[in-house]
Amino acid sequence: MPQRLLPARRPAPSPSRPRTLTGLLTAAAAATGLLLTALAPGAQATAAAANPYERGPAPTNASIEATRGPYATSQTSVSSLLVSGFGGGTIYYPTSTADGTFGAVVISPGFTAYQSSIAWLGPRLASQGFVVFTIDTNTTLDQPDSRGRQLLSALDYLTQRSSVRTRVDATRLGVMGHSMGGGGSLEAAKSRTSLKAAIPLTGWNTDKTWPELRTPTLVVGADGDTVAPVATHSKPFYESLPGSLDKAYLELRGASHFTPNSSNTTIAKYSLSWLKRFIDSDTRYEQFLCPIPGPSLTIAEYRGTCPHTS
């Protein structure tokens, strides 16, 4: 007889399939975990690389008021005979190169003064992670416009010819100055808009208006200043700066025109915070500038634009 072909039997469900599905889900979860683990270091690196210019540990009020920061420093003298455009000076710098390059600031003294009058700022700022160049001017009688040009000449020397030029990030520079040197810092910022920070200390200048400035500027005045009274110098300087600019006005209480010539915690604290915030783009220092500090035993008045945008 011809054989009748029977339909093929469908295989019985395998009891192992639920276990296989569970295994697949477990494997997927494990793979996801591995992926997240693999991504985590990259994410952390990305977060750390978000600001590659941060230098030093997270700041505290005590650390920014300290006379020395976390970096050991050294210094080198620059003879006036070896430079042109300014009168030589002293470079203060962190000795470590482990963190790469540093931002830099050049500081000018005032009328009839020498670099010794602002020398205290050198090691104090350098120990916080900056290369600092305190300069002598061509003559002690140089006016602010000349001092502004000299500040820029000193920055060019520092970044192009100095013995520490490889330690400096030439894209992150600032200027400071006392009295006519402070007026000079405004002139320098007006001429070179790429500067990241300017800090005139009890500044003096016949030009009272600075709408051209594009550099974040901290104007420091003194309530007892009779040489460059705040009403005719520091306040008009500040008020004339563009409204869109990151700017601040700090008026020292119980201070004179010559207060910046001696070690001063309030000047150092806010100057350091300003330089860190705008030369290093280090927002960890924003907390010391915003909210705006109120009046205190050392601060007669503080004004500013908060929060900062740069």
Side-chain angles (χ1 to χ4, degrees), residues 26-237:
T26 302
T32 301
L34 288 173
L35 180 60
L36 291 174
T37 301
L39 288 175
Q44 292 170 359
T46 300
N51 180 13
Y53 306 133
E54 287 184 2
R55 298 291 182 267
T60 63
N61 196 64
S63 74
I64 65 172
E65 291 186 349
T67 56
R68 290 294 182 273
Y71 289 95
T73 65
S74 188
Q75 64 188 71
T76 182
S77 296
V78 178
S79 170
S80 61
L81 300 177
L82 300 178
V83 300
S84 61
F86 66 104
T90 304
I91 303 172
Y92 304 83
Y93 59 93
T95 56
S96 173
T97 57
D99 292 340
T101 56
F102 297 92
V105 57
V106 176
I107 310 176
S108 167
F111 189 64
T112 74
Y114 297 92
Q115 61 161 322
S116 57
S117 66
I118 37 89
W120 69 274
L121 284 162
R124 189 155 182 166
L125 295 176
S127 68
Q128 296 282 1
F130 291 101
V131 175
V132 184
F133 196 3
T134 58
I135 65 168
D136 279 320
T137 48
N138 290 326
T139 79
T140 59
L141 306 180
D142 291 331
Q143 298 296 299
D145 57 343
S146 174
R147 290 170 191 265
R149 291 191 297 272
Q150 292 178 60
L151 283 166
L152 297 180
S153 293
L155 279 173
D156 292 341
Y157 171 84
L158 183 64
T159 58
Q160 298 170 18
R161 295 178 51 211
S162 75
S163 61
V164 299
R165 61 189 179 278
T166 58
R167 298 173 184 265
V168 179
D169 182 344
T171 67
R172 298 188 293 116
L173 306 174
V175 288
M176 296 178 65
H178 171 239
S179 190
M180 283 197 181
S185 71
L186 294 170
E187 299 280 0
K190 176 181 175 179
S191 298
R192 189 172 296 181
T193 57
S194 62
L195 293 177
K196 301 299 185 183
I199 306 178
L201 304 170
T202 59
W204 188 98
N205 200 311
T206 55
D207 187 348
K208 312 301 183 183
T209 58
W210 300 92
E212 313 93 338
L213 262 64
R214 298 294 179 266
T215 297
T217 300
L218 169 63
V219 178
V220 179
D223 63 353
D225 193 336
T226 58
V227 177
V230 294
T232 55
H233 288 78
S234 292
K235 283 185 176 179
F237 295 165

Side-chain angles (χ1 to χ4, degrees), residues 178 201-202 220-230 234 249-267 296-301:
H178 171 239
L201 304 170
T202 59
V220 179
D223 63 353
D225 193 336
T226 58
V227 177
V230 294
S234 292
Y249 171 73
L250 166 62
E251 186 174 316
L252 303 170
R253 185 186 297 279
S256 76
H257 182 71
F258 301 101
T259 294
N261 292 155
S262 302
S263 180
N264 183 281
T265 298
T266 304
I267 290 174
S296 68
L297 293 176
T298 60
I299 298 176
E301 183 182 355

